[in-house]
Amino acid sequence: MAQRSRSFTEYVKHHLDNQLWNALEEYLSNLDSSALQLRLRSISNVGEFELYDTEIQFVNVSNLPGSNIAFDVVLDATLIVYDADRYHNDKSEAIHQWFVLKCEGDLSCNLNNMTINDIEIYYAKSKSSQPMSDSLVPIIHKGELEKTATDFLDKYFPEALSKPMYLDPTELTKRMNLNVKQAKIAKDLSVFGQIYFRDTQATVYDAKSDSDINIPVKRGTIIVDPEVAFQRNLGAFNNTIVHECVHWELHKKAFDLERLFNENASQIKCKVVGGVEGAGNEATKWMEWQANALAPRIQMPLEMFKRQASATIKKYRDKLGIFELCELMPFVIEELAQFFMVSKTAAKIRMIDAGYEEAMGSFIYIDGHYVKPHAFKKGSIKPNQTYSIPAKDAAILCLTNKKLRNAEKYIYIDSHFVLDHPKYIEKNADGKTQMTDYARYHIDECCLAFQLTIKDKIDEHYHTECFLNRDKSSPLNFEIVFTGENEELDDEQRKQLLHDTVMEEAKVLDSLSNNYTQAWKQVLKWRGISQAELARRTSISEKTIGNIINATTIGSINNIVLMCLAAHLPWDISEYMIKHSGTQLLLTNEDHVLYRFALKHMNAKSIEEVQEFLRDQGAKTL
């Protein structure tokens, strides 16, 4: 079971209750009853009153410099009010009144120096300029991340706000009085870095003995696994150090609270996938989200990043003579990653932050292949949607998703479902099917969009920013759903294109003979393909082709599928030919599922491309 988040309110209830009681009791002893504005039922002439009980309703915490915090404790006080003539009348009444006690204290000394600066009747929650959660994690909304990063840089690295530059993490740690050690933290490389908030013994992995060992570390030590740079890249190594610096700056107080409950606590240990090792509570998730979100913003402050990005785009436009941003993005992102010494994925996300949505279609790897750069209209898809999906997911969706089963006029090309029309699909010089440049620059016009959710047990506060940024080393597994929410099939232009194609194919299908041989002759004539050409495309002998068409020897289902693909038959007609051949595609056969997918969404491609696809998916080639 995941550990519960530490609660500052609970700590106040169990450790500061007596001080709060005494302070409130003293305050009431000097308070005139008229100030309470009591609503009494049975007493009309208020005399003395006394404190009978208190219950803490909530605590609002605000950040202060150093290890200090300010916190307002809202108490529900039960007061016993006596009639003014109490010596002749024993009448009394219990009433409730809320009070707010404004406190300050130093966490480094367990709040032993707590002061109560003011007590008031509670009317409304006061706003704080630096609010903290009940777990003493700063409350930072997404819209405040840029300002938080700017404040951090203004404090420790102000020159990075005046010109584009590489932020040296080693220099940053010096300025923050932190010490960096390099050591292998976990044998399986599951932990990149950890930061220590107190002097302790750190556990690291020793390759010589193939075991964990303890080494002494001082408070303010960051341990980074040096293999991060080799297994990932130097950008990931730099990011890890800045990430831990953010923990030190923002989360010392959350750690101090943890220490109040657990005196053995010493560090925050950050996992490769973006979480905190050994803790599954909400507070640690938010701490990690903040460190993940702020580190690249600190390394690439937005205004300076925009300035460098603009200059880099101009440089490559002049150098390459290319105007389309999506074509330039791979060059621009790679150079910006080198300039700021971050990963390409981090630079790509920052380009999107800077307003260059064309960056979303760059550096996407699916099925081990690089997906060509592409662009789409701003706002055409949601942050957790994509136009690019793996082939096996596509094949399964075509079988299980009713909406996608009806999208047969979309051809699967370069990890996209593209509308089968010459405006969007063409053959290159090698005869391979590809998207036209127009299609890649207007992918929202011709491709289907899919919704992504993360299948792994990884916190989504961070990863929602990374749905479209599946780089080569991404550890994430996605669940893909086709919802049809963007109403691709209803767009007027596409509707007309589809109408023309569908009507032609429907006319051909309706005219096909029930005679298998005659039907083959009709579709080959429609496609303008001779039996000899069909034999050339399929590498099946012309004699065998003749025997199959004449139903002398049908052979295996593979031959029929191959012939349908070679003739570029649409799915409805291929299904007709298979049915009349007496063969069938079995849904229980994984190879047949992929053949079915190829017939539905790859029928515009060459046989070589289809065979390559099948090999890549581990299926038997036709």
Side-chain angles (χ1 to χ4, degrees):
M1 180 179 291
Q3 177 186 331
R4 289 178 56 199
S5 296
R6 298 303 189 188
S7 168
F8 183 67
T9 299
E10 289 300 313
Y11 184 81
V12 171
K13 285 180 180 179
H14 290 101
H15 297 276
L16 304 178
D17 192 50
N18 287 339
Q19 289 173 260
L20 297 171
W21 172 283
N22 293 336
L24 182 58
E25 192 171 48
E26 182 180 352
Y27 168 77
L28 291 171
S29 67
N30 298 312
L31 189 68
D32 190 277
S33 61
S34 61
L36 291 174
Q37 299 177 348
L38 302 174
R39 295 180 179 180
L40 298 166
R41 293 187 300 274
S42 59
I43 295 178
S44 57
N45 189 15
V46 177
E48 295 180 358
F49 56 90
E50 62 179 311
L51 181 62
Y52 178 74
D53 193 16
T54 62
E55 182 179 354
I56 294 176
Q57 295 300 304
F58 56 87
V59 180
N60 294 323
V61 188
S62 298
N63 210 350
L64 292 177
S67 54
N68 294 295
I69 57 170
F71 52 101
D72 293 350
V73 182
V74 177
L75 289 173
D76 177 6
T78 303
L79 304 178
I80 303 297
V81 181
Y82 296 95
D83 192 283
D85 193 16
R86 66 180 294 187
Y87 297 104
H88 302 284
N89 189 338
D90 290 336
K91 187 181 291 185
S92 65
E93 186 175 333
I95 59 100
H96 289 272
Q97 177 69 62
W98 282 25
F99 296 92
V100 56
L101 287 73
K102 298 181 178 295
C103 312
E104 287 188 19
D106 188 339
L107 288 164
S108 66
C109 63
N110 298 353
L111 298 177
N112 291 331
N113 67 338
M114 183 187 78
T115 59
I116 300 174
N117 299 325
D118 194 15
I119 301 177
E120 300 173 356
I121 296 174
Y122 177 80
Y123 293 107
K125 181 178 177 181
S126 58
K127 291 186 177 181
S128 169
S129 59
Q130 297 188 70
M132 305 186 84
S133 73
D134 192 43
S135 299
L136 301 192
V137 177
I139 296 174
I140 303 172
H141 300 289
K142 189 171 182 179
E144 300 169 328
L145 289 170
E146 299 297 346
K147 182 183 183 304
T148 304
T150 298
D151 291 344
F152 179 95
L153 287 167
D154 194 47
K155 182 176 180 179
Y156 295 111
F157 228 108
E159 60 267 43
L161 297 172
S162 59
K163 67 176 183 178
M165 64 184 301
Y166 160 59
L167 186 144
D168 184 352
T170 303
E171 177 61 25
L172 175 63
T173 55
K174 287 180 182 177
R175 296 183 187 188
M176 296 181 71
N177 296 316
L178 301 175
N179 179 42
V180 177
K181 284 181 176 288
Q182 294 191 30
K184 191 170 180 64
I185 302 170
K187 182 178 180 179
D188 61 359
L189 264 181
S190 61
V191 180
F192 272 6
Q194 54 193 38
I195 185 162
Y196 290 84
F197 291 91
R198 62 185 292 188
D199 295 355
T200 189
Q201 292 287 317
T203 301
V204 297
Y205 173 74
D206 178 59
K208 290 183 179 179
S209 62
D210 190 25
S211 63
D212 290 338
I213 61 171
N214 292 326
I215 60 172
V217 294
K218 295 288 186 182
R219 178 178 182 271
T221 296
I222 295 172
I223 295 184
V224 185
D225 193 324
E227 290 193 32
V228 172
F230 300 105
Q231 296 292 328
R232 293 292 180 94
N233 49 61
L234 183 59
F237 183 86
N238 292 339
N239 178 271
T240 298
I241 295 175
V242 178
H243 177 112
E244 302 301 334
C245 289
V246 173
H247 279 316
W248 180 262
E249 180 69 9
L250 296 184
H251 304 138
K252 286 197 293 288
K253 288 168 184 173
F255 169 78
D256 286 335
L257 178 61
E258 172 68 26
R259 185 178 49 78
L260 293 179
F261 287 93
N262 173 18
E263 63 179 15
N264 294 319
S266 62
Q267 88 272 12
I268 293 177
K269 185 181 291 188
C270 300
K271 297 187 292 185
V272 169
V273 295
V276 176
E277 184 174 81
N281 61 61
E282 195 65 19
T284 54
K285 289 179 181 179
W286 279 114
M287 285 191 289
E288 199 64 4
W289 176 81
Q290 290 173 0
N292 277 324
L294 286 169
R297 287 171 167 85
I298 290 166
Q299 292 175 283
M300 298 171 282
L302 189 57
E303 292 307 314
M304 296 304 104
F305 182 86
K306 285 180 178 179
R307 186 187 299 180
Q308 190 64 24
S310 179
T312 307
I313 288 170
K314 183 179 184 305
K315 169 186 170 180
Y316 279 101
R317 272 188 171 149
D318 293 342
K319 181 178 179 180
L320 302 176
I322 298 173
F323 182 80
E324 289 291 342
L325 273 178
C326 77
E327 299 286 10
L328 292 172
M329 277 300 145
F331 303 100
V332 173
I333 290 170
E334 190 153 13
E335 180 157 318
L336 289 172
Q338 292 172 357
F339 179 87
F340 290 101
M341 294 192 73
V342 298
S343 69
K344 285 187 288 189
T345 299
K348 170 183 172 176
I349 294 173
R350 209 61 178 130
M351 284 294 285
I352 297 168
D353 290 340
Y356 295 99
E357 291 201 1
E358 294 84 356
M360 290 183 181
S362 298
F363 291 116
I364 293 177
Y365 287 84
I366 292 180
D367 292 333
H369 299 296
Y370 176 62
V371 178
K372 288 182 180 178
H374 50 271
F376 40 86
K377 186 170 60 180
K378 187 174 182 179
S380 61
I381 56 174
K382 299 173 184 177
N384 67 329
Q385 290 183 315
T386 181
Y387 290 107
S388 312
I389 67 169
K392 279 195 175 176
D393 290 298
I396 293 169
L397 280 173
C398 285
L399 194 63
T400 60
N401 187 287
K402 183 177 180 180
K403 288 185 178 180
L404 195 56
R405 284 203 303 270
N406 295 329
E408 294 158 5
K409 304 309 173 191
Y410 284 79
I411 303 298
Y412 186 73
I413 300 175
D414 197 18
S415 302
H416 303 105
F417 277 94
V418 190
L419 188 62
D420 186 7
H421 191 274
K423 184 177 182 181
Y424 308 120
I425 296 173
E426 65 183 5
K427 299 282 186 182
N428 64 16
D430 297 326
K432 289 192 173 184
T433 312
Q434 64 181 21
M435 295 172 67
T436 63
D437 287 343
Y438 179 87
R440 287 194 298 111
Y441 303 155
H442 303 83
I443 204 165
D444 55 294
E445 182 182 311
C446 59
C447 293
L448 300 180
F450 297 84
Q451 185 169 302
L452 298 172
T453 55
I454 295 171
K455 288 196 289 189
D456 305 66
K457 292 181 179 178
I458 298 173
D459 180 55
E460 293 196 23
H461 293 312
Y462 166 58
H463 290 303
T464 46
E465 293 193 351
C466 301
F467 280 114
L468 292 176
N469 305 307
R470 288 165 287 159
D471 67 8
K472 209 172 199 175
S473 58
S474 171
L476 304 181
N477 290 318
F478 295 94
E479 187 173 277
I480 304 171
V481 178
F482 177 66
T483 63
E485 286 180 358
N486 53 339
E487 300 298 332
E488 294 87 357
L489 301 180
D490 292 335
D491 178 83
E492 285 302 318
Q493 183 180 7
R494 280 172 287 184
K495 196 172 182 180
Q496 186 59 48
L497 292 173
L498 281 169
H499 177 269
D500 295 343
T501 304
V502 168
M503 291 307 294
E504 180 188 355
E505 292 174 0
K507 185 178 178 180
V508 172
L509 181 61
D510 186 59
S511 68
L512 286 181
S513 172
N514 285 325
N515 180 277
Y516 173 73
T517 300
Q518 188 59 34
W520 260 119
K521 291 179 179 179
Q522 284 178 271
V523 295
L524 292 180
K525 182 179 180 181
W526 172 54
R527 283 305 195 203
I529 301 172
S530 65
Q531 290 188 26
E533 175 60 18
L534 195 63
R536 186 191 67 78
R537 293 184 185 182
T538 59
S539 297
I540 300 173
S541 71
E542 190 173 347
K543 181 180 178 181
T544 301
I545 290 287
N547 288 337
I548 293 172
I549 289 175
N550 292 317
T552 305
T553 306
I554 297 296
S556 70
I557 180 68
N558 291 33
N559 283 340
I560 305 299
V561 171
L562 197 56
M563 290 166 63
C564 290
L565 287 167
H568 303 303
L569 300 183
W571 165 247
D572 286 343
I573 296 176
S574 292
E575 187 179 38
Y576 183 94
M577 301 309 297
I578 291 170
K579 179 181 177 182
H580 284 74
S581 73
T583 60
Q584 61 177 323
L585 290 169
L586 303 174
L587 299 183
T588 55
N589 186 310
E590 289 188 13
D591 288 350
H592 285 197
V593 169
L594 290 169
Y595 298 162
R596 183 186 181 92
F597 173 77
L599 286 166
K600 293 184 78 170
H601 299 290
M602 301 184 73
N603 55 65
K605 293 193 171 189
S606 67
I607 294 299
E608 290 76 14
E609 292 174 282
V610 174
Q611 300 284 37
E612 182 181 358
F613 160 79
L614 294 173
R615 280 193 295 271
D616 288 345
Q617 302 310 313
K620 182 180 179 182
T621 54
L622 295 163

